Amino acid sequence: MKVVVQRAKNASVVVQNEVVGAIKNGLMLLVGITHTDTLEDIKYVADKIVNLRIFEDDEGKMNQSLLDVKGDILSVSQFTLYGDCRKGRRPNFMDAAKPEFAEKMYDLFNAEIREKGVHVETGSFGAMMDVQFTNVGPVTLIIESK
């Protein structure tokens, strides 16, 4: 599992000219699933993300988590995170999970975050999506399982 985590002061995802998910403050996630991911991977990554101390405290230090600031998450599935660009000019997506498995794992990942008390908005799995957000800092991290 691979997730790009970006601190955001607003984020939205649009499908066919309709906003399907939006947040005002929190984290924008691009979520990639590979065929070997397990429930253990989901739990590890979800816990890591909600507890990352990447929000400023009163002294301006990154010392607070998403839970501390009561932020939300916009989670967008992103199979292209597993695109291998080492050979040729066209990415190889063999490491990306098949859609049926990926959607199930993506849904479980979002449910795991919700169980931790975080509001989660999502895009539409498998759809062509337009994602807009304002990255604060900018702060961008990559969290991987295994």
Side-chain angles (χ1 to χ4, degrees), residues 62-108:
M62 287 199 299
N63 219 9
Q64 294 189 306
S65 71
L66 183 69
L67 296 173
D68 294 328
V69 300
K70 297 177 177 41
D72 299 327
I73 284 180
L74 177 59
S75 173
V76 176
S77 62
Q78 187 74 50
F79 80 94
T80 61
L81 290 176
Y82 278 101
D84 184 349
C85 299
R86 292 178 291 183
K87 287 178 68 176
R89 296 178 186 251
R90 177 188 237 165
N92 174 329
F93 296 107
M94 295 299 291
D95 287 339
K98 300 282 186 234
E100 304 79 31
F101 178 74
E103 185 172 15
K104 176 183 167 190
M105 297 300 277
Y106 173 70
D107 290 343
L108 287 171

Side-chain angles (χ1 to χ4, degrees), residues 5-94:
V5 178
Q6 298 175 299
R7 200 171 65 178
K9 65 177 165 184
N10 58 58
S12 65
V13 60
V14 174
V15 176
Q16 296 180 349
N17 297 319
E18 180 182 335
V19 175
V20 296
I23 64 167
K24 292 195 188 259
N25 181 52
L27 298 174
M28 170 67 212
L29 306 182
L30 300 175
V31 181
I33 306 290
T34 190
H35 50 84
T36 59
D37 284 334
T38 65
L39 189 54
E40 186 177 297
D41 295 309
I42 286 171
K43 288 177 182 271
Y44 170 81
V45 173
D47 186 66
K48 179 68 78 173
I49 288 170
V50 300
N51 289 294
L52 273 175
R53 294 179 358 189
I54 59 173
F55 292 89
E56 278 102 15
D57 61 17
D58 293 337
E59 296 175 10
K61 295 187 184 202
M62 287 199 299
N63 219 9
Q64 294 189 306
S65 71
L66 183 69
L67 296 173
D68 294 328
V69 300
K70 297 177 177 41
D72 299 327
I73 284 180
L74 177 59
S75 173
V76 176
S77 62
Q78 187 74 50
F79 80 94
T80 61
L81 290 176
Y82 278 101
D84 184 349
C85 299
R86 292 178 291 183
K87 287 178 68 176
R89 296 178 186 251
R90 177 188 237 165
N92 174 329
F93 296 107
M94 295 299 291

